[in-house]
Every structure is written in structure tokens, then in C-alpha cells.
Amino acid sequence: MIASLVFILLFSSAAFIFYKRVSQIRSAIKSGKPYHPASDAASRFKHMLRVALGQQKLFQRPLSALLHVLVYAGFILINIEVLEICIDGLFQTHRVFSILGQFYNFLIAFFEILALLVFIAVVVFWWRRNVLALPRFTSAELKGWPQRDANIILITEMVLMTLLLGMNATDQVLQFRNVEHYTQAGSFPVSGWLTPVFETWSTPSLIFTERLCWWLHLAGILAFLNYLPYSKHLHIILAFPATYYANRRARGAIEHLSMVTDMVAPQFDASYQTVNDTQINQRFGAKDVSDLNWKNLLDAYTCTECGRCTSVCPQNQTGKALSPRKILMDTRDRMEDLSKHNALHGQTDDGKSLLDDYITRSEILACNTCYACVEACPIDLDPLSVIVALRRYMVMEESMAPAEWNGMFSNIENNGAPWQFSPSDRALWTKT
């Protein structure tokens, strides 16, 4: 009874804390401006299945894709055993799913092999990040907490898989000894190799170790659950809505501002009906996160900081200040800082903004809107739309476009093209 009560208290506390944190993130995302995806619901759902569930875009880099699929499959399938652990913890049973007979033996064997593969994959990920130090994992924006965050998750996964195999190994020895409560159940092809280590141990020591591994495994999973919303690994959950609502317009089709249309169209069409409330003072573009749409904010929380976007960015590769990954990381950091400020001081101005205090103007001016970052992202996040929104604010609100841009704007307005030639002279080159 005491063990059941401890389990209920531990599980319910973890669930409540997780719910509170997720509610905070949900509120932060919902504070964004409206966003309307271009495609229909059925098309978006199919896209989500391909990209988020099927991980289609990951296979542009086969090795890391294979390793990621192993970890992903382990996360999904091994949770079936976690379900058994929860039932056993609640009712103080032992391997309750053993009623499935031979199929249970297959399941345990499958989970053990998968746990070993997950362990190997995670070790390789850790090695690539910390020993090989691949360039996209050693960028300046990853120094400090982002680097520690990645390693915390990798080490936690190693420990969880070790605890699972240790629990099974000691359990198997106790089954062989016909110890009460440890009924014969399961097939242990991986942890079976560990049983010689425990065969000389006394039965009380084995029971203590098996229970310790069981409780630590459970506590580790619940701790991981509550660490997730503070980590870049929140993409495990948010990748699904992020891909469902992904911007699937034709590349280069930058969304028009309906506010601009409301201001210009009535001058040419007296019957035009405005879309927005013209009495409300609204910004053109974005200066802070409150000016971005909720999909931009969702993308910021979903970013897993893998760096594929930055690794293909031509501006970054030629030494410019721009890193698309950093754009989303800075947006998320700004939302977190603003949420903390609002929690302490209410909805007051903290004297900071996303533009200038988090993202510099040299970064957003470096972007050439090639969409390489969006194409490379495994879950279709869109740092480019944040960059465009910030640049719109600079140009349309502050009139601070670079001189070269102003010349181009004048040419488009007067000549219908970026070049300083009259429309009537465009074909003269054919006569030379």
C-alpha cells in the first residue's frame, strides 16, 4: 500500500508540473498574431504523417537519419513497457503483461534489442557532438546552455536504457531462483548477458537492486517528462503541430500584409471593404515577439537546434553574421524572458525587444531570402518568416532600409523593375 501511494504521489506530481509548464508554453504561443495556413486540412495531415511521423526529410542525411529513427522508435515503443511499469506500480503487480504468454516474451526481447540499439545510437550522437565536434554542433550560439542541454538529454537516455537492462537482468536471476512475486516471464536476449554478474549476489541484494533500477527508471522517465518543456527536445511533441501548420506556399511567395492593402486599395477601388480594424494601431512587420504570428512562436519552441538550416545557409557559409538557427533560438529566448518578466511585473514594458536586443540588424540584412533554411529543416520550421517580419519593420516603420534597397524600391516604383531603365527601353539589348 505504501509503495502504491508513493507511486501515485510521484506520478501525479510529475503530471501536474508538466501540465503547468505546457500551459505556459501554450499561452505564450497563442499570444502571437493570427496565422492561416495555405493548404487544406487533409493535405496538411498527410504532410505531417510524412515529415513528422515518417521523418522523410531526415533521410537527406542517411546516417544521422538512421540513428534518429532508432532513438525515435525506442522512445515510442519502449513506452509500452513503461505502461506496464505504471500498472505494476499502481497495483503492485509484477510484469502484468506476462498474461500475453509467448507474445510477451517476443515483446520483452524486442524491447531489449531496441534498448541496446538506442544506447548505441545515443553514444554515436554524443561522440559526434563532443569528440568529432562537427561544425554545426560547435557554432557560437550553442556555447553554454544549448550544448549542456543536448548532453543532458543524451546522457539521460543512456542511463535510462542501462537501468532498464539492469532491472531485467536482476529480475531474470530472481525468476531463476523462483523467488516469490518474481514469476517466470519474459525473454531477455540482451540483459541475459549481464546475469553472470548477478548470479553470485544474495537474494535480498538482487531484490534491492531490481527495485532500485525499477524506481530510478520510473523517476528518470518522469524527470525527463518535466525537463522536456524546458529543453530543445520539446520537438518530440511540437514537431507534429509544426509540420501540420507548416507554410507550404510556393517558395518565394512572401505573404502580403492585408493592412497595406487596406490602406492602398480604397484609393483605386471605392467599393473595397477593409479586412482589418483601421482604428487599431498596428505595426507593419515585427519589432518584438508580440508582433509575430503564433506559427512563428510555435516554430521557435519546436526548433531542435540541429543546425541543418545554418549548415546550408549561403550567407552563413560565406562568413556573414546570419545563422537561421540562432534566429529561432533568439525568438524562443525572448519569449521566455518576456514571460518571466510578465510573471513578476505584469504586462509592463521591460525595455527590450527582439530586434536589436536579441537579433541584430546585420543578421537580418544579411539574408537573401533563398529559402535554403526552410528546405533543409527536417520539420519545416520557417526562420525566414521571422527575418522578413523584422526587416519589414525596419523598412516600413523606421524607414531604415540600406541605400541600395532604397534605390531598388524607387526603380520598382518608377520603372516596374529593380533596374534603372525605362520599361520602353528593356528590349534595346536585343539590337546591340
Side-chain angles (χ1 to χ4, degrees), residues 174-220:
L174 290 167
Q175 290 183 33
F176 288 157
R177 294 184 183 180
N178 293 316
V179 176
E180 184 182 3
H181 192 65
Y182 291 88
T183 55
Q184 293 289 332
S187 176
F188 307 96
V190 177
S191 62
W193 290 90
L194 302 176
T195 53
V197 176
F198 301 106
E199 284 177 346
T200 58
W201 289 25
S202 67
T203 296
S205 297
L206 285 172
I207 293 175
F208 174 81
T209 303
E210 190 273 336
R211 288 291 85 191
L212 180 65
C213 288
W214 188 94
W215 279 106
L216 289 178
H217 185 71
L218 174 65

Side-chain angles (χ1 to χ4, degrees), residues 410-425:
S410 297
N411 291 332
I412 291 175
E413 183 178 1
N414 297 321
N415 304 323
W419 303 282
Q420 197 171 3
F421 300 106
S422 171
S424 61
D425 294 336

